[in-house]
Amino acid sequence: QVQLAESGGGLVQAGGSLRLSCSASGRSFDRYAMGWYRQAPGKEREFVAAVSWSGGSTYYADSVRGRFAISRDNRKNTVYLQMNSLKPEDTAIYYCASGYDSDPPSFNQWGQGTQVTVSS
């Protein structure tokens, strides 16, 4: 089991930036892929971004590619999501995920989520 704790969400104006963090504990962080998903009101949870255990491979949804950047620091057991040029449609609860370092990664552990609200 792994425990995941997200932070960094909040309210931002369109065009602004936020950086989400996810701290992991409970198992060897650097053996697993990490990712971010989001769920907007009335919609299904959707994939946002993922990073391999080494940080050498990254994956993005088309809707965020070029605006968001995922990274990880295995010394700190933390994964980040830098979000730039935010749009109102990015408003959602953002969830951190941990899982298998496949290509693409698959996830089986989830955090509680952090709210991101982008105002127009």
Side-chain angles (χ1 to χ4, degrees):
Q1 288 285 347
V2 63
Q3 290 75 48
L4 303 172
E6 303 95 336
S7 61
L11 173 65
V12 64
Q13 289 188 332
S17 298
L18 281 175
R19 188 176 81 154
L20 305 183
S21 300
C22 172
S23 296
S25 61
R27 67 181 184 186
S28 299
F29 178 78
D30 60 1
R31 295 183 182 181
Y32 298 93
M34 298 296 296
W36 290 94
Y37 281 69
R38 67 186 181 186
Q39 187 167 18
K43 296 187 177 181
E44 294 186 353
R45 188 175 297 189
E46 64 174 2
F47 170 77
V48 175
V51 60
S52 63
W53 71 270
S54 67
S57 296
T58 55
Y59 308 80
Y60 295 97
D62 289 343
S63 59
V64 307
R65 186 175 288 111
R67 300 188 297 123
F68 290 11
I70 189 169
S71 61
R72 65 190 296 162
D73 186 339
N74 288 344
R75 297 167 301 175
K76 297 181 178 179
N77 287 1
T78 301
V79 63
Y80 305 97
L81 184 69
Q82 178 67 43
M83 305 186 294
N84 300 324
S85 303
L86 283 161
K87 304 175 181 180
E89 52 264 43
D90 294 319
T91 295
I93 300 174
Y94 283 71
Y95 297 91
C96 179
S98 173
Y100 301 106
D101 197 42
S102 51
D103 185 16
S106 60
F107 300 99
N108 60 353
Q109 298 285 334
W110 305 89
Q112 294 298 309
T114 185
Q115 177 71 48
V116 172
T117 302
V118 184
S119 64
S120 58

